[in-house]
Amino acid sequence: MKVSFDLLRSESPGLFEDGCPTRAVLDHVMSKWGVLVLMALTDGTRRWGELRRTVDGVSEKMLASTLRTLTADGLVTRTSYPEVPPRVEYALTPLGEELMERMMPLMAWIGDNAAGILESSRGR
Amino acid sequence: MKVSFDLLRSESPGLFEDGCPTRAVLDHVMSKWGVLVLMALTDGTRRWGELRRTVDGVSEKMLASTLRTLTADGLVTRTSYPEVPPRVEYALTPLGEELMERMMPLMAWIGDNAAGILESSRGR
DNA sequence: CGGGATCCGTTTCGATACTG
DNA sequence: CAGTATCGAAACGGATCCCG
């Protein structure tokens, strides 16, 4: 059966209304850098510097802020090793893995169709 | 098999790099209002005023701008009827339907898990 | 009813410099 | 190496007025 917005709301009324927790999660998870960081972590544990290189174009400020948000949301773990030089590793939590299982098909589709989508909007 | 970022990039190198078309699509589709408008359209054709009410909290400016972007991207159709008073209807294109088939499972998961996700980040 | 145009405060973001 | 601090530019977003 087709999954529609009405169907989701019939199961839990008030879903995705203004102020609903889902709105906050949506903002964190679907944000420009949030998606890209989460995606980079689908390959497994990554160090700060690796993420900085993998997530092409991200500034240190945005990477730090994004990782802090995702960690606070319980989607990403941060492990700091008391060494010199310092080493910090990030990884998906089980919750984050669950999320990405559902997001990766979407990203794969976008990867396949992005060129076609932007054909019509060239020049804006 | 598990779908990871590396796997996607092994199929098409340079995916989701800065300046790649996928980045633009990501920004349009995963934007705060873009997601909500697309979701509202999974229920079928909707008039401007319906969308304004359904997408709780959206301003006229943002709704107009979001719909213009999604229409230019070929994900949404805009049909204007030459009547008085004017009537304009929006609907998903086949491409938009395909996209939402992949996005709705994600939204359903967020709906189920949002409360738990935000538990740990309360107070930020 | 369905927008477009404009003004303007707020927030976001990137670049740079600095620190443990 | 892994961040934080600060600043200016830019984008976002709401309010308002207008029009077909």
Side-chain angles (χ1 to χ4, degrees):
Chain A
M1 176 177 176
K2 189 192 161 196
V3 179
S4 75
F5 189 25
D6 269 345
L7 180 61
L8 289 189
R9 279 183 305 181
S10 73
E11 289 170 1
S12 53
L15 205 62
F16 295 108
E17 277 182 9
D18 201 7
C20 173
T22 49
R23 284 288 184 93
V25 174
L26 221 53
D27 282 349
H28 298 177
V29 159
M30 311 284 266
S31 72
K32 178 184 178 64
W33 299 119
V35 179
L36 295 170
V37 168
L38 287 169
M39 233 191 338
L41 291 175
T42 58
D43 296 324
T45 299
R46 285 286 177 269
R47 297 185 57 168
W48 163 273
E50 290 179 297
L51 287 174
R52 180 142 177 46
R53 281 187 301 277
T54 305
V55 180
D56 193 27
V58 73
S59 68
E60 297 191 345
K61 178 182 178 176
M62 291 318 295
L63 180 56
S65 138
T66 301
L67 283 170
R68 245 180 284 130
T69 301
L70 295 177
T71 303
D73 284 350
L75 297 169
V76 168
T77 59
R78 176 186 188 277
T79 311
S80 165
Y81 297 89
E83 304 171 353
V84 178
R87 179 165 58 104
V88 179
E89 291 185 344
Y90 295 90
L92 292 178
T93 64
L95 201 65
E97 298 271 9
E98 257 189 67
L99 172 67
M100 293 316 288
E101 273 172 36
R102 285 153 183 87
M103 189 170 322
M104 289 309 284
L106 179 59
M107 304 309 284
W109 185 88
I110 292 179
D112 288 342
N113 293 275
I117 289 179
L118 282 196
E119 250 169 45
S120 45
S121 64
R122 196 73 44 88
R124 267 184 316 102
Chain B
M1 174 177 178
K2 190 191 162 197
V3 180
S4 76
F5 189 25
D6 269 345
L7 179 61
L8 290 189
R9 278 183 306 181
S10 71
E11 289 170 1
S12 52
L15 206 61
F16 294 109
E17 278 183 7
D18 201 7
C20 173
T22 49
R23 284 289 186 91
V25 174
L26 221 53
D27 282 349
H28 298 176
V29 159
M30 310 285 265
S31 73
K32 178 184 178 67
W33 299 119
V35 179
L36 295 170
V37 167
L38 287 169
M39 238 197 327
L41 290 175
T42 58
D43 296 324
T45 299
R46 285 287 177 267
R47 297 185 56 170
W48 164 273
E50 290 180 297
L51 287 175
R52 182 144 176 45
R53 281 187 301 277
T54 305
V55 180
D56 194 27
V58 72
S59 70
E60 296 192 348
K61 178 183 178 176
M62 283 298 102
L63 180 56
S65 136
T66 301
L67 283 170
R68 245 180 286 130
T69 301
L70 295 177
T71 303
D73 285 349
L75 297 169
V76 169
T77 59
R78 177 186 188 277
T79 311
S80 166
Y81 297 89
E83 305 170 353
V84 177
R87 179 166 57 104
V88 178
E89 292 185 342
Y90 294 89
L92 293 179
T93 63
L95 202 65
E97 298 271 9
E98 258 189 67
L99 173 67
M100 294 316 288
E101 272 173 36
R102 284 150 183 90
M103 189 172 318
M104 288 310 282
L106 179 59
M107 304 310 283
W109 184 88
I110 291 179
D112 288 341
N113 293 275
I117 289 178
L118 282 195
E119 248 170 45
S120 47
S121 64
R122 194 76 41 91
R124 269 182 315 102

